[in-house]
Amino acid sequence: MQNEFSILVEELNEQILYLKELGVENFNVDLPEADSSKFKVLSLKSDISQEKLARFVPSDVEMLEAIATKPTNASVEQNKPRTSILEASKLSSLPKRNSTISNLLNNPKEEQTRENTMPVKTSEEMPSLFGEIVQTLPESIETIEEIRLDIGNCTRCTLCESRIKIVHSDGNREANLMFVGEAPGANEDAEGRPFVGKAGQLLNKIIESIGLKREDVFIGNVNRCRPPQNRQPTPLEAATCKPFLLREISVVRPKVIVVLGNTATQNLLGTKVGITKLRGEFQDYFGVKVMPTFHPAYLLRDPSKKRETWEDMKKVRDFLNQA
Ligand code: URA
Ligand code: URA
């Protein structure tokens, strides 16, 4: 218990220092010491309950079910309009199988003939109905362009009000290795590309440390728009943007995802467990290996932690070499 508390305090301290490093202003928290009597946090409550969240945004499993909604092989071969998952990302209802706006617009007849067909192939363990556990990523037939088109000039959350550019995922679309960060900072916001600032330069070195180049990997963030003052994205903002990342992951199908820092890890994996505990051990995300490690911005602040990230990256390298 005492030990868990100390870990919690250590994680909280790291988190606070990290946020300060990122330039978060008006921090309403006293730095605690690993002493319960001094532990005082004024506002760490998320601004929206999970329940409320669920009413607005599709869960990962619902998204994957939507991705698995596929047209018949015949229509793919003939380059017919694809079943899209347009609706799934609009914070409204999920698309019904085989009846999406794009199909109706593009080819109403084709839609009718496929009315009663079930999706052709879902991944091995995809359930056919809601409520069961989806264990592997479905094969997506979307392209990254189609996902970007769907994102459009996004106004799904209020981060759109202060952003300059939407920062889309970037890199090799057939990558075995993907990196996921938290959200763009000022440099990324200005350029419209992920990890181009100081943290990005360190990320490039991390990539090179395992014998790869930046062009070899795919890089994205849970959130695509810069939060004001680099604050942490709220749970609703993260949940609103994440489905697009999930769709990209289903397109790229990397063998490993390295998730950078506490916020990205917790938002991607849907966990409250902190990075200090999770890093260094492969986690599973619908059949994809996920390695949580420290965020490069955090490593810039505390270079002594680079050793741990190096250990984590060696595990990633070894896994990729034998996979
Ligand atoms: N930090 C992130 O989490 N993502 C970026 O793209 C840049 C900095
Ligand atoms: N806190 C974070 O958010 N990320 C890290 O990498 C370390 C601490």
Side-chain angles (χ1 to χ4, degrees):
M1 179 65 199
Q2 182 60 32
N3 190 31
E4 275 181 26
F5 180 75
S6 300
I7 291 172
L8 191 69
V9 168
E10 193 189 324
E11 280 171 3
L12 192 59
N13 266 304
E14 279 178 1
Q15 184 67 24
I16 290 164
L17 290 169
Y18 170 70
L19 291 172
K20 284 190 169 167
E21 168 73 15
L22 288 178
V24 176
E25 288 155 14
N26 301 325
F27 227 89
N28 203 13
V29 179
D30 293 330
L31 270 187
E33 292 162 22
D35 166 358
S36 57
S37 63
K38 295 190 182 160
F39 188 69
K40 187 175 165 228
V41 177
L42 299 180
S43 76
L44 271 189
K45 247 174 56 194
S46 64
D47 62 350
I48 185 156
S49 71
Q50 289 302 311
E51 239 171 85
K52 241 179 176 173
L53 205 64
R55 266 186 265 140
F56 289 110
V57 292
S59 69
D60 288 0
V61 170
E62 285 169 326
M63 272 311 298
L64 292 176
E65 289 205 333
I67 291 167
T69 304
K70 295 179 70 176
T72 62
N73 280 333
S75 75
V76 172
E77 276 155 23
Q78 291 158 32
N79 228 356
K80 290 275 160 56
R82 295 160 162 192
T83 301
S84 117
I85 51 173
L86 264 180
E87 283 308 279
S89 56
K90 288 192 176 161
L91 306 189
S92 55
S93 58
L94 284 159
K96 291 199 185 73
R97 291 192 194 280
N98 295 327
S99 91
T100 64
I101 287 179
S102 73
N103 272 324
L104 288 169
L105 289 180
N106 292 333
N107 201 340
K109 270 192 200 141
E110 157 103 0
E111 174 61 23
Q112 275 166 22
T113 61
R114 294 199 289 110
E115 195 96 275
N116 295 321
T117 61
M118 285 299 286
V120 172
K121 175 176 175 286
T122 57
S123 64
E124 268 169 47
E125 288 145 291
M126 279 300 281
S128 53
L129 287 171
F130 302 109
E132 292 167 52
I133 294 168
V134 179
Q135 291 177 2
T136 61
L137 284 182
E139 281 172 42
S140 173
I141 47 106
E142 290 188 293
T143 64
I144 297 292
E145 276 73 25
E146 284 167 334
I147 297 169
R148 285 195 187 183
L149 215 60
D150 191 8
I151 293 168
N153 188 19
C154 187
T155 56
R156 293 170 181 84
C157 85
T158 52
L159 293 182
C160 68
E161 289 164 14
S162 51
R163 72 156 181 253
I164 300 171
K165 288 193 175 156
I166 298 179
V167 177
H168 291 294
S169 310
D170 187 39
N172 183 348
R173 293 162 187 202
E174 288 168 13
N176 286 330
L177 179 58
M178 176 167 178
F179 288 84
V180 173
E182 172 179 335
N187 294 300
E188 291 77 20
D189 186 39
E191 245 184 77
R193 289 187 63 215
F195 285 98
V196 292
K198 275 193 189 151
Q201 282 159 23
L202 180 53
L203 179 60
N204 291 346
K205 286 191 191 156
I206 292 170
I207 294 166
E208 284 159 19
S209 78
I210 56 164
L212 294 172
K213 297 198 201 74
R214 182 166 168 131
E215 307 86 81
D216 296 328
V217 305
F218 195 65
I219 304 178
N221 282 299
V222 176
N223 275 90
R224 284 164 207 253
C225 295
R226 182 194 182 199
Q229 283 97 40
N230 295 343
R231 68 162 169 75
Q232 243 179 312
T234 65
L236 181 59
E237 286 160 357
T240 302
C241 211
K242 186 174 140 183
F244 299 108
L245 186 73
L246 192 42
R247 283 163 64 178
E248 287 175 332
I249 292 170
S250 299
V251 172
V252 176
R253 306 180 72 76
K255 294 202 168 83
V256 175
I257 299 171
V258 173
V259 61
L260 301 164
N262 215 23
T263 309
T265 300
Q266 294 185 336
N267 283 334
L268 183 77
L269 299 179
T271 178
K272 287 195 159 55
V273 181
I275 187 75
T276 309
K277 242 184 179 170
L278 283 181
R279 62 145 284 280
E281 299 294 333
F282 279 114
Q283 310 293 315
D284 178 88
Y285 190 60
F286 300 107
V288 182
K289 293 260 185 227
V290 172
M291 176 59 79
T293 196
F294 292 127
H295 195 289
Y298 176 72
L299 299 178
L300 287 172
R301 201 196 58 73
D302 184 354
S304 74
K305 294 284 200 297
K306 283 183 185 174
R307 196 181 48 80
E308 271 113 309
T309 290
W310 166 232
E311 295 299 325
D312 303 345
M313 291 306 297
K314 278 196 290 191
K315 288 188 184 172
V316 169
R317 180 194 62 193
D318 292 347
F319 178 82
L320 288 173
N321 283 344
Q322 48 128 58

